[in-house]
PDB file of all heavy atoms in Angstrom:
ATOM      1  N   PRO A   1      64.824-198.016 -48.182  1.00  0.00           N
ATOM      2  CA  PRO A   1      65.957-197.518 -47.387  1.00  0.00           C
ATOM      3  C   PRO A   1      67.224-198.358 -47.638  1.00  0.00           C
ATOM      4  O   PRO A   1      67.306-199.513 -47.422  1.00  0.00           O
ATOM      5  CB  PRO A   1      65.489-197.766 -45.963  1.00  0.00           C
ATOM      6  CG  PRO A   1      64.020-197.734 -46.013  1.00  0.00           C
ATOM      7  CD  PRO A   1      63.664-198.321 -47.404  1.00  0.00           C
ATOM      8  N   PRO A   2      68.281-197.649 -48.276  1.00  0.00           N
ATOM      9  CA  PRO A   2      69.472-198.327 -48.533  1.00  0.00           C
ATOM     10  C   PRO A   2      70.364-198.480 -47.300  1.00  0.00           C
ATOM     11  O   PRO A   2      70.218-197.615 -46.332  1.00  0.00           O
ATOM     12  CB  PRO A   2      70.162-197.515 -49.634  1.00  0.00           C
ATOM     13  CG  PRO A   2      69.660-196.103 -49.310  1.00  0.00           C
ATOM     14  CD  PRO A   2      68.238-196.282 -48.709  1.00  0.00           C
ATOM     15  N   THR A   3      71.353-199.334 -47.314  1.00  0.00           N
ATOM     16  CA  THR A   3      72.342-199.470 -46.241  1.00  0.00           C
ATOM     17  C   THR A   3      73.669-199.026 -46.723  1.00  0.00           C
ATOM     18  O   THR A   3      74.121-199.530 -47.765  1.00  0.00           O
ATOM     19  CB  THR A   3      72.394-200.890 -45.711  1.00  0.00           C
ATOM     20  OG1 THR A   3      71.125-201.292 -45.186  1.00  0.00           O
ATOM     21  CG2 THR A   3      73.425-201.009 -44.599  1.00  0.00           C
ATOM     22  N   LEU A   4      74.292-198.068 -46.056  1.00  0.00           N
ATOM     23  CA  LEU A   4      75.588-197.516 -46.496  1.00  0.00           C
ATOM     24  C   LEU A   4      76.503-197.581 -45.267  1.00  0.00           C
ATOM     25  O   LEU A   4      76.260-197.013 -44.214  1.00  0.00           O
ATOM     26  CB  LEU A   4      75.387-196.096 -46.940  1.00  0.00           C
ATOM     27  CG  LEU A   4      76.675-195.449 -47.474  1.00  0.00           C
ATOM     28  CD1 LEU A   4      77.170-196.122 -48.811  1.00  0.00           C
ATOM     29  CD2 LEU A   4      76.383-193.965 -47.824  1.00  0.00           C
ATOM     30  N   PHE A   5      77.608-198.306 -45.455  1.00  0.00           N
ATOM     31  CA  PHE A   5      78.624-198.542 -44.378  1.00  0.00           C
ATOM     32  C   PHE A   5      77.965-199.042 -43.072  1.00  0.00           C
ATOM     33  O   PHE A   5      78.300-198.546 -42.006  1.00  0.00           O
ATOM     34  CB  PHE A   5      79.365-197.232 -44.100  1.00  0.00           C
ATOM     35  CG  PHE A   5      80.080-196.718 -45.306  1.00  0.00           C
ATOM     36  CD1 PHE A   5      79.686-195.451 -45.841  1.00  0.00           C
ATOM     37  CD2 PHE A   5      81.117-197.395 -45.874  1.00  0.00           C
ATOM     38  CE1 PHE A   5      80.371-194.986 -46.960  1.00  0.00           C
ATOM     39  CE2 PHE A   5      81.764-196.919 -47.035  1.00  0.00           C
ATOM     40  CZ  PHE A   5      81.431-195.690 -47.525  1.00  0.00           C
ATOM     41  N   GLY A   6      77.038-199.985 -43.244  1.00  0.00           N
ATOM     42  CA  GLY A   6      76.366-200.620 -42.109  1.00  0.00           C
ATOM     43  C   GLY A   6      75.262-199.801 -41.471  1.00  0.00           C
ATOM     44  O   GLY A   6      74.664-200.177 -40.473  1.00  0.00           O
ATOM     45  N   ARG A   7      74.997-198.591 -42.070  1.00  0.00           N
ATOM     46  CA  ARG A   7      73.943-197.761 -41.487  1.00  0.00           C
ATOM     47  C   ARG A   7      72.855-197.605 -42.544  1.00  0.00           C
ATOM     48  O   ARG A   7      73.002-197.298 -43.709  1.00  0.00           O
ATOM     49  CB  ARG A   7      74.471-196.360 -41.162  1.00  0.00           C
ATOM     50  CG  ARG A   7      73.483-195.408 -40.536  1.00  0.00           C
ATOM     51  CD  ARG A   7      74.113-194.135 -40.195  1.00  0.00           C
ATOM     52  NE  ARG A   7      73.139-193.181 -39.638  1.00  0.00           N
ATOM     53  CZ  ARG A   7      73.430-191.926 -39.256  1.00  0.00           C
ATOM     54  NH1 ARG A   7      74.666-191.474 -39.428  1.00  0.00           N
ATOM     55  NH2 ARG A   7      72.456-191.141 -38.727  1.00  0.00           N
ATOM     56  N   GLN A   8      71.568-197.768 -42.100  1.00  0.00           N
ATOM     57  CA  GLN A   8      70.440-197.661 -43.026  1.00  0.00           C
ATOM     58  C   GLN A   8      69.968-196.208 -43.115  1.00  0.00           C
ATOM     59  O   GLN A   8      69.794-195.479 -42.126  1.00  0.00           O
ATOM     60  CB  GLN A   8      69.283-198.504 -42.469  1.00  0.00           C
ATOM     61  CG  GLN A   8      68.185-198.703 -43.541  1.00  0.00           C
ATOM     62  CD  GLN A   8      67.205-199.757 -43.091  1.00  0.00           C
ATOM     63  OE1 GLN A   8      66.606-199.655 -42.065  1.00  0.00           O
ATOM     64  NE2 GLN A   8      67.001-200.795 -43.968  1.00  0.00           N
ATOM     65  N   LEU A   9      69.873-195.807 -44.333  1.00  0.00           N
ATOM     66  CA  LEU A   9      69.506-194.394 -44.634  1.00  0.00           C
ATOM     67  C   LEU A   9      68.051-194.393 -45.127  1.00  0.00           C
ATOM     68  O   LEU A   9      67.547-195.322 -45.768  1.00  0.00           O
ATOM     69  CB  LEU A   9      70.377-193.832 -45.762  1.00  0.00           C
ATOM     70  CG  LEU A   9      71.874-193.852 -45.485  1.00  0.00           C
ATOM     71  CD1 LEU A   9      72.589-193.331 -46.699  1.00  0.00           C
ATOM     72  CD2 LEU A   9      72.227-193.084 -44.238  1.00  0.00           C
ATOM     73  N   ASP A  10      67.298-193.311 -44.745  1.00  0.00           N
ATOM     74  CA  ASP A  10      65.915-193.204 -45.146  1.00  0.00           C
ATOM     75  C   ASP A  10      65.601-191.743 -45.408  1.00  0.00           C
ATOM     76  O   ASP A  10      65.139-191.082 -44.495  1.00  0.00           O
ATOM     77  CB  ASP A  10      65.040-193.808 -44.089  1.00  0.00           C
ATOM     78  CG  ASP A  10      63.577-194.077 -44.611  1.00  0.00           C
ATOM     79  OD1 ASP A  10      63.368-193.955 -45.857  1.00  0.00           O
ATOM     80  OD2 ASP A  10      62.696-194.413 -43.792  1.00  0.00           O
ATOM     81  N   PRO A  11      65.809-191.286 -46.649  1.00  0.00           N
ATOM     82  CA  PRO A  11      65.556-189.867 -46.923  1.00  0.00           C
ATOM     83  C   PRO A  11      64.147-189.474 -46.638  1.00  0.00           C
ATOM     84  O   PRO A  11      63.220-190.251 -46.855  1.00  0.00           O
ATOM     85  CB  PRO A  11      65.916-189.731 -48.449  1.00  0.00           C
ATOM     86  CG  PRO A  11      66.756-190.889 -48.712  1.00  0.00           C
ATOM     87  CD  PRO A  11      66.327-192.007 -47.795  1.00  0.00           C
ATOM     88  N   ILE A  12      63.946-188.215 -46.167  1.00  0.00           N
ATOM     89  CA  ILE A  12      62.607-187.684 -45.848  1.00  0.00           C
ATOM     90  C   ILE A  12      61.664-187.878 -47.033  1.00  0.00           C
ATOM     91  O   ILE A  12      60.490-188.261 -46.889  1.00  0.00           O
ATOM     92  CB  ILE A  12      62.695-186.270 -45.381  1.00  0.00           C
ATOM     93  CG1 ILE A  12      63.364-186.194 -43.989  1.00  0.00           C
ATOM     94  CG2 ILE A  12      61.282-185.606 -45.310  1.00  0.00           C
ATOM     95  CD1 ILE A  12      63.536-184.765 -43.484  1.00  0.00           C
ATOM     96  N   ILE A  13      62.179-187.531 -48.233  1.00  0.00           N
ATOM     97  CA  ILE A  13      61.243-187.519 -49.364  1.00  0.00           C
ATOM     98  C   ILE A  13      60.721-188.917 -49.656  1.00  0.00           C
ATOM     99  O   ILE A  13      59.513-189.044 -49.997  1.00  0.00           O
ATOM    100  CB  ILE A  13      61.961-186.881 -50.600  1.00  0.00           C
ATOM    101  CG1 ILE A  13      60.919-186.693 -51.751  1.00  0.00           C
ATOM    102  CG2 ILE A  13      63.149-187.801 -51.048  1.00  0.00           C
ATOM    103  CD1 ILE A  13      61.515-185.873 -52.902  1.00  0.00           C
ATOM    104  N   ALA A  14      61.516-189.940 -49.503  1.00  0.00           N
ATOM    105  CA  ALA A  14      61.038-191.317 -49.715  1.00  0.00           C
ATOM    106  C   ALA A  14      60.146-191.756 -48.569  1.00  0.00           C
ATOM    107  O   ALA A  14      59.102-192.417 -48.808  1.00  0.00           O
ATOM    108  CB  ALA A  14      62.213-192.262 -49.855  1.00  0.00           C
ATOM    109  N   ARG A  15      60.500-191.428 -47.351  1.00  0.00           N
ATOM    110  CA  ARG A  15      59.640-191.808 -46.170  1.00  0.00           C
ATOM    111  C   ARG A  15      58.257-191.124 -46.294  1.00  0.00           C
ATOM    112  O   ARG A  15      57.232-191.730 -45.976  1.00  0.00           O
ATOM    113  CB  ARG A  15      60.347-191.442 -44.838  1.00  0.00           C
ATOM    114  CG  ARG A  15      59.621-192.024 -43.646  1.00  0.00           C
ATOM    115  CD  ARG A  15      60.527-191.933 -42.379  1.00  0.00           C
ATOM    116  NE  ARG A  15      60.623-190.511 -41.937  1.00  0.00           N
ATOM    117  CZ  ARG A  15      61.755-189.838 -41.946  1.00  0.00           C
ATOM    118  NH1 ARG A  15      62.851-190.404 -42.482  1.00  0.00           N
ATOM    119  NH2 ARG A  15      61.750-188.615 -41.426  1.00  0.00           N
ATOM    120  N   ASN A  16      58.329-189.787 -46.670  1.00  0.00           N
ATOM    121  CA  ASN A  16      57.061-189.115 -46.796  1.00  0.00           C
ATOM    122  C   ASN A  16      56.161-189.772 -47.867  1.00  0.00           C
ATOM    123  O   ASN A  16      54.922-189.866 -47.733  1.00  0.00           O
ATOM    124  CB  ASN A  16      57.321-187.632 -47.253  1.00  0.00           C
ATOM    125  CG  ASN A  16      57.717-186.799 -46.070  1.00  0.00           C
ATOM    126  OD1 ASN A  16      57.914-187.243 -44.948  1.00  0.00           O
ATOM    127  ND2 ASN A  16      57.855-185.487 -46.328  1.00  0.00           N
ATOM    128  N   HIS A  17      56.785-190.234 -48.948  1.00  0.00           N
ATOM    129  CA  HIS A  17      55.998-190.869 -50.032  1.00  0.00           C
ATOM    130  C   HIS A  17      55.409-192.160 -49.563  1.00  0.00           C
ATOM    131  O   HIS A  17      54.280-192.515 -49.984  1.00  0.00           O
ATOM    132  CB  HIS A  17      56.870-191.065 -51.227  1.00  0.00           C
ATOM    133  CG  HIS A  17      56.108-191.359 -52.490  1.00  0.00           C
ATOM    134  ND1 HIS A  17      55.297-190.437 -53.101  1.00  0.00           N
ATOM    135  CD2 HIS A  17      55.977-192.500 -53.228  1.00  0.00           C
ATOM    136  CE1 HIS A  17      54.724-190.926 -54.196  1.00  0.00           C
ATOM    137  NE2 HIS A  17      55.063-192.212 -54.249  1.00  0.00           N
ATOM    138  N   ARG A  18      56.079-192.911 -48.674  1.00  0.00           N
ATOM    139  CA  ARG A  18      55.491-194.137 -48.128  1.00  0.00           C
ATOM    140  C   ARG A  18      54.266-193.777 -47.287  1.00  0.00           C
ATOM    141  O   ARG A  18      53.269-194.486 -47.247  1.00  0.00           O
ATOM    142  CB  ARG A  18      56.504-194.921 -47.426  1.00  0.00           C
ATOM    143  CG  ARG A  18      57.571-195.539 -48.344  1.00  0.00           C
ATOM    144  CD  ARG A  18      58.348-196.608 -47.654  1.00  0.00           C
ATOM    145  NE  ARG A  18      59.146-196.148 -46.524  1.00  0.00           N
ATOM    146  CZ  ARG A  18      60.387-195.612 -46.679  1.00  0.00           C
ATOM    147  NH1 ARG A  18      60.927-195.495 -47.840  1.00  0.00           N
ATOM    148  NH2 ARG A  18      61.062-195.201 -45.639  1.00  0.00           N
ATOM    149  N   ASN A  19      54.420-192.720 -46.431  1.00  0.00           N
ATOM    150  CA  ASN A  19      53.228-192.264 -45.693  1.00  0.00           C
ATOM    151  C   ASN A  19      52.080-191.936 -46.616  1.00  0.00           C
ATOM    152  O   ASN A  19      50.931-192.210 -46.291  1.00  0.00           O
ATOM    153  CB  ASN A  19      53.617-190.980 -44.883  1.00  0.00           C
ATOM    154  CG  ASN A  19      54.513-191.293 -43.678  1.00  0.00           C
ATOM    155  OD1 ASN A  19      54.523-192.411 -43.172  1.00  0.00           O
ATOM    156  ND2 ASN A  19      55.285-190.374 -43.239  1.00  0.00           N
ATOM    157  N   HIS A  20      52.423-191.347 -47.726  1.00  0.00           N
ATOM    158  CA  HIS A  20      51.435-190.968 -48.745  1.00  0.00           C
ATOM    159  C   HIS A  20      50.731-192.172 -49.299  1.00  0.00           C
ATOM    160  O   HIS A  20      49.517-192.227 -49.444  1.00  0.00           O
ATOM    161  CB  HIS A  20      52.111-190.166 -49.806  1.00  0.00           C
ATOM    162  CG  HIS A  20      51.267-189.832 -51.039  1.00  0.00           C
ATOM    163  ND1 HIS A  20      50.048-189.246 -50.908  1.00  0.00           N
ATOM    164  CD2 HIS A  20      51.497-189.986 -52.328  1.00  0.00           C
ATOM    165  CE1 HIS A  20      49.531-189.063 -52.111  1.00  0.00           C
ATOM    166  NE2 HIS A  20      50.372-189.534 -53.000  1.00  0.00           N
ATOM    167  N   HIS A  21      51.482-193.257 -49.588  1.00  0.00           N
ATOM    168  CA  HIS A  21      50.894-194.438 -50.147  1.00  0.00           C
ATOM    169  C   HIS A  21      50.099-195.181 -49.112  1.00  0.00           C
ATOM    170  O   HIS A  21      49.002-195.758 -49.429  1.00  0.00           O
ATOM    171  CB  HIS A  21      51.953-195.383 -50.689  1.00  0.00           C
ATOM    172  CG  HIS A  21      52.238-195.223 -52.183  1.00  0.00           C
ATOM    173  ND1 HIS A  21      51.626-196.008 -53.119  1.00  0.00           N
ATOM    174  CD2 HIS A  21      52.950-194.334 -52.830  1.00  0.00           C
ATOM    175  CE1 HIS A  21      51.985-195.623 -54.310  1.00  0.00           C
ATOM    176  NE2 HIS A  21      52.842-194.628 -54.204  1.00  0.00           N
ATOM    177  N   ARG A  22      50.491-195.130 -47.844  1.00  0.00           N
ATOM    178  CA  ARG A  22      49.739-195.872 -46.838  1.00  0.00           C
ATOM    179  C   ARG A  22      48.428-195.133 -46.462  1.00  0.00           C
ATOM    180  O   ARG A  22      47.501-195.754 -45.954  1.00  0.00           O
ATOM    181  CB  ARG A  22      50.675-195.975 -45.554  1.00  0.00           C
ATOM    182  CG  ARG A  22      51.703-196.966 -45.715  1.00  0.00           C
ATOM    183  CD  ARG A  22      52.708-196.945 -44.564  1.00  0.00           C
ATOM    184  NE  ARG A  22      53.736-198.009 -44.767  1.00  0.00           N
ATOM    185  CZ  ARG A  22      54.983-197.941 -44.502  1.00  0.00           C
ATOM    186  NH1 ARG A  22      55.479-196.838 -44.011  1.00  0.00           N
ATOM    187  NH2 ARG A  22      55.765-198.988 -44.741  1.00  0.00           N
ATOM    188  N   ASN A  23      48.374-193.857 -46.761  1.00  0.00           N
ATOM    189  CA  ASN A  23      47.130-193.117 -46.570  1.00  0.00           C
ATOM    190  C   ASN A  23      46.918-192.155 -47.726  1.00  0.00           C
ATOM    191  O   ASN A  23      47.059-190.928 -47.626  1.00  0.00           O
ATOM    192  CB  ASN A  23      47.231-192.327 -45.216  1.00  0.00           C
ATOM    193  CG  ASN A  23      45.913-191.654 -44.901  1.00  0.00           C
ATOM    194  OD1 ASN A  23      44.914-191.794 -45.587  1.00  0.00           O
ATOM    195  ND2 ASN A  23      45.899-190.868 -43.823  1.00  0.00           N
ATOM    196  N   PRO A  24      46.519-192.679 -48.886  1.00  0.00           N
ATOM    197  CA  PRO A  24      46.258-191.822 -50.025  1.00  0.00           C
ATOM    198  C   PRO A  24      45.016-190.950 -49.931  1.00  0.00           C
ATOM    199  O   PRO A  24      44.702-190.166 -50.848  1.00  0.00           O
ATOM    200  CB  PRO A  24      46.146-192.853 -51.146  1.00  0.00           C
ATOM    201  CG  PRO A  24      45.610-194.145 -50.495  1.00  0.00           C
ATOM    202  CD  PRO A  24      46.245-194.091 -49.132  1.00  0.00           C
ATOM    203  N   TRP A  25      44.260-191.106 -48.818  1.00  0.00           N
ATOM    204  CA  TRP A  25      43.098-190.278 -48.660  1.00  0.00           C
ATOM    205  C   TRP A  25      43.344-188.858 -48.056  1.00  0.00           C
ATOM    206  O   TRP A  25      42.413-188.117 -47.937  1.00  0.00           O
ATOM    207  CB  TRP A  25      42.106-191.070 -47.776  1.00  0.00           C
ATOM    208  CG  TRP A  25      41.757-192.415 -48.327  1.00  0.00           C
ATOM    209  CD1 TRP A  25      40.809-192.666 -49.265  1.00  0.00           C
ATOM    210  CD2 TRP A  25      42.377-193.629 -48.000  1.00  0.00           C
ATOM    211  NE1 TRP A  25      40.793-194.017 -49.548  1.00  0.00           N
ATOM    212  CE2 TRP A  25      41.761-194.629 -48.787  1.00  0.00           C
ATOM    213  CE3 TRP A  25      43.370-194.035 -47.120  1.00  0.00           C
ATOM    214  CZ2 TRP A  25      42.100-196.002 -48.722  1.00  0.00           C
ATOM    215  CZ3 TRP A  25      43.754-195.352 -47.082  1.00  0.00           C
ATOM    216  CH2 TRP A  25      43.102-196.314 -47.861  1.00  0.00           C
ATOM    217  N   ASP A  26      44.542-188.614 -47.709  1.00  0.00           N
ATOM    218  CA  ASP A  26      44.897-187.321 -47.113  1.00  0.00           C
ATOM    219  C   ASP A  26      45.836-186.630 -48.145  1.00  0.00           C
ATOM    220  O   ASP A  26      47.033-186.967 -48.220  1.00  0.00           O
ATOM    221  CB  ASP A  26      45.602-187.443 -45.764  1.00  0.00           C
ATOM    222  CG  ASP A  26      45.744-186.137 -45.094  1.00  0.00           C
ATOM    223  OD1 ASP A  26      45.775-185.091 -45.773  1.00  0.00           O
ATOM    224  OD2 ASP A  26      45.899-186.094 -43.828  1.00  0.00           O
ATOM    225  N   PRO A  27      45.398-185.603 -48.851  1.00  0.00           N
ATOM    226  CA  PRO A  27      46.239-184.970 -49.869  1.00  0.00           C
ATOM    227  C   PRO A  27      47.451-184.299 -49.353  1.00  0.00           C
ATOM    228  O   PRO A  27      48.472-184.206 -50.113  1.00  0.00           O
ATOM    229  CB  PRO A  27      45.298-183.999 -50.528  1.00  0.00           C
ATOM    230  CG  PRO A  27      44.264-183.675 -49.513  1.00  0.00           C
ATOM    231  CD  PRO A  27      44.058-184.977 -48.743  1.00  0.00           C
TER     232      PRO A  27
END
């Protein structure tokens, strides 16, 4: 998650991918 103008951004596609890595047992 990058910070832009003091606000942290977290695109859905990157957040989804972290969910995927934390639980790789659910396709």
Side-chain angles (χ1 to χ4, degrees):
T3 300
L4 184 64
F5 301 116
R7 182 178 179 182
Q8 195 169 56
L9 306 176
D10 197 8
I12 288 176
I13 190 169
R15 190 168 72 248
N16 281 6
H17 195 68
R18 290 196 295 276
N19 287 336
H20 174 51
H21 266 264
R22 286 171 178 142
N23 185 4
W25 301 277
D26 189 338

